[in-house]
Amino acid sequence: LNEIATESEPSLDVLVQTWHAVARHIGYKHDAVTAQKSESWHSPANTAERGFGDCDDFAILLANLLRARGITAYLVIGETNGSGHAWCAVNFGGRWFAIEPQQDPGEQISGLDAIPLVDASYKPWLLVDRHASFLPDLPSNNVYDPATAKKVDSEQLFGPR
């Protein structure tokens, strides 16, 4: 993962290579097994060092790596199939994509329309980056665009820094 952590020009190849590296190099382990807690978020560096994490750890790592490479990305907290889950929202080519960090896209994607996306069973509750949180405007056609969401002061959600 070290080789992908450097700044570069945003491109579809950068997006795919970064996503592929996270999906390939990070193993899934639930927090109940690794942290003896039902939920525990880990920093991107900690997840990369440990080499494993759960859905939120994958999403935090991928969103941070993409942002470091010049691609707008958010951690998305929500649910799928009735269970809490985390994934990424990525802005690329002026379009928003919701992607599953644990799903390896393979090394080559021929175009934006070939990006494997999360399906309609994924319901976002919150978009998060380092500076702010956003409540999606549901039912919007573009729930992943922070410009259409209600900005929430992160201290309201997480307490003072």
Side-chain angles (χ1 to χ4, degrees):
L1 291 173
N2 289 336
E3 66 272 11
I4 65 166
T6 58
E7 300 256 349
S8 62
E9 286 294 311
S11 70
L12 183 58
D13 284 343
V14 167
L15 169 63
V16 172
Q17 289 167 2
T18 306
W19 183 8
H20 175 70
V22 169
R24 194 177 69 198
H25 293 292
I26 303 299
Y28 184 88
K29 288 190 183 176
H30 194 278
D31 286 331
V33 173
T34 63
Q36 289 77 45
K37 298 179 188 176
S38 62
E39 191 56 51
S40 177
W41 289 15
H42 298 274
S43 72
N46 185 266
T47 299
E49 181 180 300
R50 294 178 334 150
F52 61 84
D54 66 0
C55 61
D56 48 72
D57 301 320
F58 273 83
I60 290 167
L61 176 60
L62 181 58
N64 276 276
L65 288 172
L66 291 173
R67 291 177 81 79
R69 300 192 81 192
I71 297 172
T72 301
Y74 290 86
L75 163 67
V76 181
I77 304 298
E79 72 176 88
T80 183
N81 300 318
S83 295
H85 193 51
W87 61 97
C88 289
V90 177
N91 185 295
F92 194 83
R95 293 167 52 190
W96 284 94
F97 298 91
I99 60 175
E100 177 61 72
Q102 300 166 102
Q103 177 186 346
D104 191 341
E107 302 219 20
Q108 298 296 322
I109 291 179
S110 58
L112 294 180
D113 292 330
I115 294 176
L117 305 177
V118 301
D119 62 38
S121 70
Y122 286 67
K123 310 230 180 308
W125 298 332
L126 188 66
L127 285 73
V128 181
D129 72 11
R130 291 176 184 225
H131 308 289
S133 300
F134 303 89
L135 297 173
D137 180 21
L138 301 174
S140 168
N141 287 335
N142 202 351
V143 298
Y144 297 104
D145 185 351
T148 66
K150 177 184 175 192
K151 185 174 181 178
V152 179
D153 182 347
S154 291
E155 285 191 5
Q156 287 178 298
L157 294 171
F158 303 110
R161 295 175 198 206

